[in-house]
Structures are given as structure tokens and as C-alpha cells.
């Protein structure tokens, strides 16, 4: 690390991005931007910025879009039809392709934390939200398209 690295934007420490996901009966808002599923890479890029990595999944047509610093990934064969986001809270568990850091943002459902309100989410909403647990610990949150609607 050189003394003048602060001049190079790629070597500056970036401010942590705080992600707030708010889910109500009718919509999902990520940092005050409404989204619906299926969504597109361009919509997510507007909210999260450019994906850190885009990697192919072997023996499929899918690519994985990873936002390493945010702890978020999405896999899809078509970047115009992204069906789900995975918010990885503990990347020590084998959940496929892993972002380098854990998701540290907040997820609210009807104004309450996900831990308090996940059981109150019915199937009538225009999205699904699921807690993924390993060893009795929430390790990720799946948020995406509701095929029942």
C-alpha cells in the first residue's frame, strides 16, 4: 500500500452500504426503491451498483450475480428475469456460490424485524420471503417471485 493510494478511487476504503429491505402486503422496497419479481439485473444494478462478479454455473445456462460486499447473490439464465435474491447472513454454510461478506442489512416485514414477523407472511403477497436455517440458525433469506400469484 503506497502513501498516495488515497488518490486512486479503487484503493480507497469504501463506506459500507446500508441495505434496508421493507416488505409490506403490496410491495418490496430496497433502500426506498420499489421492486417486483421477476426483476432485471438493470433494476438491481441501480440499487446495489454493478455486481462484483458474474460467474457461470457449471453444466447449466445460469449465471450467478454476486454483490460480494453486500452479501447478496442471484442466479438466473436470463438477466431480464431474475426470480429471487439470496441474502447470505452466514457464508460459512454451503449455499452454492458465496458472496465474500455476509449480508448485514435490515429486513422489515410490515414494519417489524424479520425474526418477529416471518411467520405472519401469507401466500397472497406478490412475493415470497423465506428464512433459510442450518443448525437452528438463520443463515440466509430468500426473497423473490411468488409463483402462486
Amino acid at each position: 500500500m503506497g502513501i498516495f493510494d488515497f488518490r486512486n478511487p479503487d484503493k480507497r476504503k469504501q463506506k459500507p452500504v446500508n441495505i434496508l429491505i421493507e416488505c409490506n402486503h403490496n410491495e418490496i422496497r430496497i433502500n426506498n426503491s420499489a421492486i417486483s419479481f421477476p426483476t432485471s439485473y438493470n433494476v438491481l444494478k441501480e440499487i446495489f451498483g454493478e455486481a462484483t462478479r458474474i460467474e457461470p454455473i457449471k453444466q447449466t445456462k445460469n449465471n450467478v450475480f454476486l454483490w460480494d460486499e453486500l452479501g447478496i447473490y442471484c442466479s438466473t439464465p436470463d438477466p431480464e428475469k431474475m426470480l429471487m435474491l439470496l441474502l447470505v447472513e452466514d457464508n460459512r454454510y454451503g449455499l452454492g456460490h458465496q458472496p465474500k461478506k455476509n449480508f448485514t442489512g435490515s429486513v422489515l416485514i410490515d414494519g417489524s424485524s424479520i425474526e418477529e414477523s416471518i411467520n405472519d407472511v401469507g401466500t397472497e403477497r406478490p412475493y415470497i420471503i423465506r428464512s433459510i436455517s442450518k443448525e437452528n440458525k438463520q443463515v440466509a433469506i430468500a426473497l423473490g417471485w411468488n409463483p402462486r400469484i
Side-chain angles (χ1 to χ4, degrees), residues 41 45 50-57 62-68 74 76 79 82 97:
Y41 175 63
K45 187 167 64 169
E50 197 77 41
T52 312
R53 296 179 283 152
I54 301 172
E55 299 180 346
I57 298 177
N62 286 8
N63 284 317
V64 177
F65 295 77
L66 295 116
W67 287 269
D68 283 320
C74 178
T76 183
M82 295 179 143
H97 290 256

Side-chain angles (χ1 to χ4, degrees), residues 81-95:
K81 292 182 183 168
M82 295 179 143
L83 299 179
M84 183 193 71
L85 291 177
L86 195 65
L87 314 171
V88 179
E89 294 181 321
D90 192 336
N91 63 7
R92 294 176 297 171
Y93 293 87
L95 299 171

